[in-house]
Each structure stands twice: as structure tokens, then as C-alpha cells.
Amino acid sequence: MSKKESTFFGMLVSLLVITLISGLALGYVNDLTIGPKAKAKLEQKVNALKLVLPTFDNNPVEDKKLVKSDKVTDSVEVYPAYLNNEFVGAALVGTTDKGFSGLVRIMIGFKPSGEIENVVVLEQKETPGLGTKMKEEKFIQQFRGININTFNLKVKKDGGDVDALTGATISSRAFCDATQMAYDEFIRNNGSLIESKN
Amino acid sequence: MAEILNQKQNFLKGIVKENPIFVMLLGMCPTLGVTSSAFNGLGMGVATMFVLIMSNLVVSLVKNQIPAKVRIPAFIIIIASFVTIVEMILEAFVPFLYEQLGIFIPLIVVNCIILGRAEAFASKNNVISSIIDAIGMGLGFVLALTVLGAVREILGSGSLFGFKFVSEDASTFILFILPPGAFIALAYLTVLFNKITSKTT
């Protein structure tokens, strides 16, 4: 087998050519996938919004508002929903880093009265088979239709009304924590949301 | 005739005699990390197989142009490029799988099966043999990961490829979804695999 001599010049040129070609190839593929990537991300968001909000006819992603909050370093995303120019609810992204493995992000849809329409888990790294059950219907259904004013948003172990997941109390607490955060922000901004469209 | 027979041997060795997971015990990081379900195992296997085939193909094509002293950096650049391509494509078209596999996709770069095949096989053999070798090794890897993922999913969540066959409340061996279960399942599968193959060969 004829291997090339390892001269300094030869090594330089061959590595340069390889990096050049791979750089060009990567740039090309990046150009190809940048559109579908953004679309996939948007679709995911829109699907989540459709799940958590009542019927709406505006584009909540376009009407998105960022609200500053003193509880989180980042601002909170608020997606208002309107039907025939009337405010029918808003979806908020609630975050907490108190999950068993850090960050938990959930999207919660509220009716104007403050009642929870639905909840969707966007991002979590909880223990598979235990904490990940927070995504399942069985856990989420207990939050549907509740008003946090009259509902004690704490797990039963802490004297609240929430049935915690078996073996995943910390994940359940994190879920409640994120919900509470979203609710507080919703109440704080409820007035301005109703006005904004009119 | 001997040539064809050799290629068949070349293809089969990756699946049975030199199975990267059960016999050579290479690439353990993704094997143990992502196989919490059969689908994840299959996805990871296919992604790795694609990178393996492409890198073997390119390495065997350029092997004579690369000076021996810089061959490892050159191979790594080739492999890393294909891994990045796979990552971008997965993110764009299969976002669900991309999310599940997470950090393990970029980690395909350091999967020793791929660099191992590039160094040990593709840099010494012609294009056709290299591709056949990659397909064999890749299939061996896919099979091993899918079987491991399936076993862990059946025992751990009572489902297979997402189809649940036990009731919602049934308690399953959650251990098998967790990292220790990966080691236990892999160990028993390796024993079983070697028991069966040592009889037939």
C-alpha cells in the first residue's frame, strides 16, 4: 500500500483540504436544514398552544409578549389568545429549576377567570419511569379546570391538594412550583392582556 | 467465487462473530445511555450506522492521499462532519428523536466503533469491502441496541415500541429504565448472545 510521505507540507495541505471540504459540506447542509428546523420548532410550539388554549383565531406566537419577572432571571413568555377580538385566555411558560434533574418547563393555558384550561410539559429531564410520568394524562388531569385561588397548589405531603406521582415527589413539587409561577405572572398581567387588543 | 464468499464473511462478521456490542464491547456509552426504549435504541443505531458507512466510504477513498502522521485527525474531521450532518438532519426532520437522544448524537464522534473501523479496516481495504464491513458492523450495532432497548422497555415500562401491553397502573421493573438496568440487561444479553453463537460457530 502506498502511503504518502509525512512531509510538513503534505500534512498541511491534506488537512487543509479535508477541513475545507467538510466546512463547505456542513455549510451546505446547514443552509438546507435551517428552514425546516425553525419550522419544526414553531410547529411544536403551536401544537402545544392549541392543546392548552381555548379556541382562538389570532396567532398567539405573533402576539407573544415577554414579561419581566423578579422570580426568574429570564423574562416569562406570555401567549394571549383572542376569539373575535375578545380575550379568551393566555398561555404562559412556567419554569422552575427545582426538578429532580434541574429545569422543568411547562406551558399552562389560563382562562380569563384564572381557571386552568390545560397543561403541557415542554421540557424536563426527570427520572425515566418516575418523574417523566408528569407528562401523562393521569397526573395532568387533576390540574384541569382548577382555580388556584381555591386550590392549594402543593402536594398532599406538604398539606396541599395535589396527588404526587409515586416515587417522584420532587418532580411533582417542581411541577406545582412552575404552575404557581405561571399563575402569579398571569394574575399580575391579566388586566393589561384584556385591554391590549381593544 | 472465493471473492464473493469472502464478502459474505466480511458482512456477517459484524453481526455475529465480531458484533461490536456483544463480542467486542465497543461503544458502550451510547449503548447504555440511550437504550431506555426500543425506538431510541433503533434511532441511535441507525444514526450511528449512517455515520459508519459514510466515514468508511470516505476514509477508504482518501486513504492514499493522507500522510500517515495526520491520519487520526483527518479521520476525526471526516467523522465529525458526518455526525454534525446527522444532527442537523435529525433536528430538522425528526425533532422528537433529536430530543430523546440529546447529547448522545454529538457523542457519536467519539464512538470508538467508528474510528476503530476507519483505522482498522477502511484505511487498509478498498471501497467495496469497506462499505460492506460498515453495513455489517452497523447492522450488528443496530440489532444490539434495538434488542437491548426492547428488553429494557418490556421489563421497565411494559411496552414495546410505545405500545403498552400492561394496564396503566401495573407496576413494572422501573430499575430497567434507569442506568443500573442498562448494565444488568446488557450483561445478560451478552451472556446469552455468546452462548448461542459459540454453539453455532
Side-chain angles (χ1 to χ4, degrees), chain A:
Chain A
M1 188 171 54
S2 64
K3 270 263 149 91
K4 256 204 169 168
E5 201 70 27
S6 295
T7 58
F8 178 74
F9 186 71
M11 292 194 280
L12 198 75
V13 169
S14 62
L15 277 186
L16 186 72
V17 170
I18 287 176
T19 40
L20 258 181
I21 293 173
S22 64
L24 281 174
L26 286 182
Y28 179 69
V29 175
N30 187 39
D31 270 0
L32 281 184
T33 54
I34 207 158
K37 244 195 255 179
K39 216 177 119 199
K41 239 182 211 143
L42 190 72
E43 219 160 73
Q44 198 190 9
K45 204 167 247 177
V46 170
N47 280 343
L49 282 168
K50 272 189 193 144
L51 276 177
V52 300
L53 284 172
T55 332
F56 55 89
D57 59 2
N58 68 319
N59 184 347
V61 179
E62 263 173 30
D63 295 337
K64 166 179 157 182
K65 289 183 182 64
L66 291 174
V67 201
K68 280 262 172 277
S69 164
D70 42 338
K71 272 199 201 149
V72 283
T73 47
D74 222 358
S75 42
V76 181
E77 295 168 44
V78 180
Y79 300 92
Y82 303 93
L83 186 65
N84 303 323
N85 277 342
E86 205 174 304
F87 179 67
V88 290
L92 280 89
V93 176
T95 53
T96 182
D97 50 12
K98 289 185 189 146
F100 196 69
S101 315
L103 185 71
V104 174
R105 279 178 76 223
I106 57 179
M107 186 181 268
I108 305 146
F110 293 100
K111 289 181 185 158
S113 59
E115 228 171 74
I116 292 180
E117 171 80 18
N118 200 355
V119 189
V120 166
V121 178
L122 294 179
E123 199 181 330
Q124 49 84 24
K125 305 183 188 78
E126 304 305 290
T127 320
L130 294 173
T132 48
K133 286 205 173 131
M134 69 163 66
K135 285 195 283 195
E136 284 173 16
E137 177 64 22
K138 213 176 133 205
F139 180 69
I140 285 179
Q141 53 101 8
Q142 62 179 318
F143 293 94
R144 228 162 266 154
I146 60 163
N147 194 321
I148 295 173
N149 270 335
T150 57
F151 187 87
N152 193 352
L153 196 68
K154 273 190 181 133
V155 295
K156 285 202 170 135
K157 222 185 225 173
D158 303 340
D161 294 331
V162 176
D163 274 320
L165 292 161
T166 318
T169 310
I170 294 176
S171 304
S172 311
R173 273 189 198 132
F175 191 94
C176 296
D177 199 55
T179 312
Q180 185 72 48
M181 184 217 113
Y183 179 73
D184 292 346
E185 289 308 313
F186 175 73
I187 292 301
R188 219 162 54 86
N189 296 292
N190 202 357
S192 67
L193 282 171
I194 295 171
E195 279 161 25
S196 61
K197 197 76 175 184
N198 302 322

Side-chain angles (χ1 to χ4, degrees), chain A residues 6 14 22 44 127-128 138, chain B residues 67 69 81 91 99 169 177-178:
Chain A
S6 295
S14 62
S22 64
Q44 198 190 9
T127 320
K138 213 176 133 205
Chain B
K69 273 187 188 160
S81 305
E91 191 182 356
E99 225 164 76
D169 305 314
I177 297 278
L178 303 177

